[in-house]
Amino acid sequence: MTAVEKRPSTGVRTFKRARVSRPPAHWERSQAGNRPDLPTITHWQKANTEAPSFAKYNVELELPIFDDETYEAHLTDPNWTLEETRHLVHVYQESSGKWPVIIDWYGRPDRTMEDLKARFYKLRAILLQLATPIQSMAAPEYTLYETLTNFNPQQELSRKRLAENLLHRKKDEADEEAVLLAELQRIMANQASLDESREDLRRRLDYPKATSSSYQYSTSQALSNLWQQLISADRMRKTQRLRPVGPQSAMSVDGTNAPGQTPTSARARESMTRNSQDPTSGSASRLSERDMARFGVSLAPGNEKLPAGVTFASDRLSKPRIAKSTIQSEKIAAILQHIGVPDLIPLPTPAVIEAFDLLMGKVHALLEMRKVAEKEEQELRVREAEAAQ
């Protein structure tokens, strides 16, 4: 009795391949598209199916169509004739718009591909503009018009030469270019890092931007008020950083006199008594008229009341410009600008201040007269309207 060998099971079930019924095919001869100049082709065609249509692969070209009158009116060119232009359009149509094929079939070695493109694009752009004005073009038409008119033959020729030289360069030149590009990237990275460091340094050294205008502190009175505000704010701190100056420096923070110091009023009385007792003190400090004119010193009249504190000569030129209302101030500024008075007069002398005071008196008188005149005119118009009724 013979033993039967059993094959080891692989765990994969095998199935019989089912027969697939395919429809029969037949040998068919058909025309390639709708062009009679092309030969017929033969191929296998499945039964009960439509013949494949190759018309979807046809390229529809937009050719410039023109007659002799249109050419003579708009398309003439000193370097091109009508026959050569028609030949270019014909070759473009036969070559399906492929410019390498066009330059090969054109038959004129003196014409480059860029010359043919420039001529053809110019024809298309002019005919497109004649068919549809620029103002009436849609977005696709205007994009095509810009593409046609912006073609530059010299730039295209330079681009091709550069690409050709880049294609035929040697390995050493390519390696050198790679090294130069890496060096350029390193320089640009260092420059960016340096610019960032400079910008960070500028931000650190930059002073804080003022949120309000400093014009309100242009007078001595405003500066005094600002100083008093700073002193008051500094008194609220535990460690005071500001120290009063002037007549108030002799007094402590709580308003009492510092120990060992004379009160301000007593010192003022002693100074007045000393000056009255010394008859030469007044004459010694008096200047001559020449020195007063030289240094810009003027004596105030006995009946004039001087303001307290330090005043500047420029204050007497800026305060009269500011009126009670904004409209009045604008009128004063307009009058002064019309007569040529600048907004800022540096280092005004007493003569300039006196002339400015006289001028401002006339300006105020003029504004008052104008106000009265406008009031009279308004009253007159009211009376005329009442009389007309």
Side-chain angles (χ1 to χ4, degrees), residues 7 39 42 54 70-71 104 147 156 163 173 176 196 260 271 280 288 298 315 379:
R7 295 181 179 179
T42 56
F54 298 97
T70 305
Y71 182 87
D104 188 32
T147 304
E156 184 70 12
E173 296 177 354
E176 184 180 359
E196 185 178 358
S271 178
T280 60
S288 62
S298 60
D315 295 345
E379 224 176 285

Side-chain angles (χ1 to χ4, degrees), residues 292-309:
M292 292 173 63
R294 176 185 177 186
F295 297 110
V297 179
S298 60
L299 298 177
N303 55 356
E304 183 178 356
K305 185 178 180 181
L306 297 178

Side-chain angles (χ1 to χ4, degrees), residues 328 331-333 335-336 339 356-369:
Q328 193 77 358
K331 292 180 180 180
I332 294 174
I335 294 174
L336 294 178
I339 62 180
F356 185 78
D357 291 340
L358 182 61
L359 179 62
M360 288 304 299
K362 294 181 180 180
V363 169
H364 287 292
L366 178 62
L367 292 176
E368 290 294 334
M369 293 174 61

